[in-house]
Amino acid sequence: MSATERLACFKAYDIRGRIPAEIDAARAYAIARAYAAWLKPRRVAVGYDIRLSSPEFAASVREGLMDAGVDVVDIGRCGTEQVYFAVFHLGLDGGVMVTASHNPADYNGLKLVREQARPISADTGLAEIEQLTIAGNFATGARRGTTERADLLDAYVKHLLGYVDAAKLSPLTVVSNPGNGGAGVVVEALAPHLPLRFVKVHHEPDGRFPNGIPNPLLPEKRADTARAVVSAHADCGIAWDGDFDRCFLFDEAGGFIEGYYIVGLLAAQVLKRHPGAKIVHDPRLTWNTIETVRENSGIPVQSKSGHAFMKEVMRKVDAAYGGEMSAHHFFREFSYCDSGMIPWLLVIAMMGASGKPLSALVGEAMRRFPASGEINRRVPDAGGDGVRELAVQPAILEYGAAAPAQRRIARGCGPDAREDRGSARRDRRRARGLIQRTRSGSSFWNREFGITRSNPAARAADSAASSTWDPNATSSGDGDTALKRTAQAPGSTARTPRSNRTRLTSPSATAAARPASSPTRRASEPAARAAA
């Protein structure tokens, strides 16, 4: 390979690929050697998730590190955040987690961190590690490193319990669904210390994923948790992805709570403990977070999407908390890292202290700032002639003066063009129905936002909203490219560098773009529907 070649498994802020075409145990060994050559660490933690290929990958990583003269602290099977914890708790020089998170069973990968669990992304060393892996010219260490086994589960659980006062928690019934990933082991360790009754769903770790890929961000992966909440009359439900660095919450009726609203909820809670603190958020959905942070005397700070970028910004501004709508939640006390355990513990504490169900805790935010959630579409042959153009705007009701029309348009020239147009229409209807169900129809929209038909100037402003391809979007492995966008109301001026999410235009920006003489006609809901 030449130095200009790329490895498909290297992404923007981690390493993931299909086995064996993109990554295997031999490549994991080479990456470990490259990581050691670049970072020059003395002691490194190594952990691995529940995938069937992970023990072999972890053994190769340990061998690569030891051959480079690095001493390894083997923490065994765990979640990604347990590697983070090992690094900052033991004062190590770095850590390697073998995981492909929520990807299918035939994938695996590595997450690399340095001292204090600082992330290594393409901008901060991952690109250099890739080139060292390609070159493969590794010097033999002056001495071979050693491996020591460390069981840190008790210390990790003690750290988690420090975020709540267990004696003050209410005896709630909680559905726990790790999706056969690794979270069940930690829940079992926490359970004796908490006055909670856990209803366990798919708790047994199983790298074959017999109940499907553990990724509750996908709507089709939520039904088991929702049904369990309803049948058990539980107070809430929790589901995790495979390496449990993300958790997803369900209310007492089994309703899925978008991560967007949990960010605002946790921001308010953190600001009670750290008044005036900075809160970092991603640019995809912003209003609820920004308003909540300001209402609680905090300072909102925007970051690029992606866990590595969020952590970098949090350290730079010393933020107390950061959250992404994708359900990554970051805490200063956790070395600015993301955790899938701390968020639900804080929410349980909030439910008990307030005496309110989860639906009530997020209900006002959902009414004030309704959102469609993230809508994803795969574009076949994105680089070829099959679909030459797919311009996407958020699937949401059309607004005028207060929130400009954001129309989704799908234009295709290949054989799939008709299907793309139909899918766009279906998504638009889905979002409109969701919003109308969220808030009793046109009276709310007319009162709160003033639904109007957009004039030509407003439409021109709308067309300026950008949809861009993310070169680091997850690929299906067969050439398809993922295109992601989100819809929220009203609109956002947030910049989204290196993101393929649609940017919305704010009311003030639209007003500035509209000529002073341009009238804006107020319309009824049927008129708005016709315009959409």
Side-chain angles (χ1 to χ4, degrees):
M1 282 187 178
S2 70
T4 58
E5 290 187 81
R6 298 292 310 277
L7 297 176
C9 59
F10 276 77
K11 311 299 182 183
Y13 36 78
D14 61 10
I15 299 162
R16 285 171 288 117
R18 179 170 285 166
I19 306 168
E22 296 174 331
I23 191 169
D24 57 14
R27 178 152 291 169
Y29 172 89
I31 293 171
R33 292 297 304 268
Y35 167 78
W38 177 79
L39 186 60
K40 297 177 175 58
R42 291 173 297 174
R43 298 178 72 210
V44 169
V46 176
Y48 59 90
D49 70 6
I50 46 78
R51 293 169 184 274
L52 300 182
S53 61
S54 290
E56 180 186 9
F57 274 54
S60 293
V61 169
R62 292 194 298 269
E63 286 297 315
L65 291 172
M66 288 191 294
D67 284 350
V70 178
D71 294 332
V72 174
V73 178
D74 178 13
I75 65 172
R77 192 172 72 180
C78 62
T80 296
E81 66 188 74
Q82 288 173 276
V83 168
Y84 300 156
F85 175 77
V87 173
F88 71 77
H89 179 70
L90 298 177
L92 305 180
D93 302 306
V96 180
M97 175 66 184
V98 177
T99 181
S101 187
H102 56 274
N103 286 99
D106 61 339
Y107 279 71
N108 216 326
L110 308 174
K111 289 184 178 178
L112 311 177
V113 297
R114 55 187 305 161
E115 72 282 354
Q116 300 177 344
R118 292 174 180 263
I120 299 175
S121 67
D123 295 337
T124 59
L126 199 58
E128 288 84 351
I129 292 171
E130 178 184 11
Q131 292 307 310
L132 288 169
T133 303
I134 292 171
N137 299 320
F138 306 119
T140 303
R143 55 173 284 275
R144 179 171 165 80
T146 62
T147 293
E148 62 176 296
R149 185 72 173 87
D151 184 355
L152 299 178
L153 181 59
D154 289 344
Y156 167 65
V157 167
K158 181 179 179 180
H159 179 90
L160 294 178
L161 292 171
Y163 291 86
V164 296
D165 186 344
K168 294 182 179 179
L169 297 180
S170 297
L172 304 178
T173 298
V174 178
V175 169
S176 169
N177 183 2
N180 299 117
V185 174
V186 178
V187 172
E188 298 284 1
L190 283 167
H193 306 279
L194 303 172
L196 306 175
R197 182 176 78 91
F198 286 103
V199 177
K200 300 169 185 177
V201 179
H202 308 324
H203 245 244
E204 185 66 27
D206 190 336
R208 297 169 299 176
F209 301 137
N211 296 289
I213 303 303
N215 183 13
L217 197 60
L218 302 176
E220 61 269 24
K221 301 302 181 184
R222 303 170 187 168
D224 289 350
T225 308
R227 280 195 295 264
V229 169
V230 173
S231 63
H233 303 288
D235 295 286
C236 67
I238 313 163
W240 293 267
D241 61 359
D243 63 336
F244 62 91
D245 59 351
R246 295 184 299 163
C247 70
F248 303 82
L249 294 166
F250 296 73
D251 66 20
E252 69 281 2
F256 180 79
I257 308 299
E258 291 286 348
Y260 172 45
Y261 303 111
I262 300 301
V263 172
L265 192 64
L266 292 177
Q269 179 74 349
V270 170
L271 286 169
K272 290 180 180 178
R273 298 168 56 188
H274 305 285
K278 294 182 175 68
I279 305 295
V280 175
H281 62 88
D282 70 334
R284 288 170 286 185
L285 292 175
T286 61
W287 280 290
N288 177 55
T289 305
I290 291 172
E291 290 298 317
T292 300
V293 170
R294 288 175 176 166
E295 287 170 0
N296 288 273
S297 303
I299 302 171
V301 178
Q302 184 169 286
S303 165
K304 292 191 290 186
S305 295
H307 74 90
F309 306 122
M310 292 283 292
K311 293 168 187 173
E312 289 168 11
V313 173
M314 286 191 67
R315 285 184 179 277
K316 182 178 179 180
V317 302
D318 192 30
Y321 164 72
E324 292 186 285
M325 62 164 286
S326 57
H328 282 284
H329 301 280
F330 309 82
F331 300 87
R332 182 165 58 197
E333 291 93 338
F334 202 64
S335 196
Y336 303 95
C337 292
D338 42 333
S339 168
M341 289 293 162
I342 299 170
W344 69 265
L345 286 169
L346 292 176
V347 170
I348 291 291
M350 294 171 68
M351 291 171 62
S354 67
K356 296 179 180 179
L358 180 54
S359 61
L361 291 178
V362 298
E364 180 59 24
M366 293 175 70
R367 286 189 290 270
R368 292 174 63 193
F369 305 102
S372 70
E374 190 167 84
I375 303 170
N376 300 320
R377 172 138 15 263
R378 290 200 176 277
V379 181
D381 191 21
D385 295 329
V387 176
R388 288 192 293 189
E389 182 179 10
L390 182 64
V392 185
Q393 299 289 359
I396 202 163
L397 279 176
E398 185 169 359
Y399 308 103
Q406 301 289 344
R407 297 189 61 192
R408 291 162 29 89
I409 305 167
R411 299 189 297 275
C413 303
D416 300 307
R418 182 176 301 173
E419 179 181 349
D420 291 327
R421 287 194 293 269
S423 298
R425 286 193 293 269
R426 285 193 295 274
D427 282 344
R428 184 166 61 244
R429 288 195 297 270
R430 170 190 166 208
R432 183 188 296 116
L434 178 145
I435 293 166
Q436 289 171 339
R437 287 194 299 274
T438 301
R439 269 305 216 172
S440 63
S442 62
S443 61
F444 168 74
W445 295 104
N446 284 321
R447 181 178 70 253
E448 298 292 333
F449 300 113
I451 298 175
T452 67
R453 293 175 66 87
S454 298
N455 60 28
R459 288 192 183 279
D462 296 341
S463 66
S466 61
S467 263
T468 58
W469 296 107
D470 182 358
N472 300 306
T474 302
S475 171
S476 66
D478 57 3
D480 289 359
T481 301
L483 177 66
K484 300 182 179 180
R485 66 270 184 199
T486 56
Q488 88 180 27
S492 172
T493 56
R495 296 180 65 241
T496 56
R498 297 186 66 177
S499 170
N500 58 356
R501 279 80 179 176
T502 301
R503 182 180 66 186
L504 305 183
T505 307
S506 71
S508 58
T510 304
R514 181 185 296 119
S517 59
S518 297
T520 301
R521 181 168 66 84
R522 191 174 183 84
S524 63
E525 184 181 3
R529 185 182 298 115

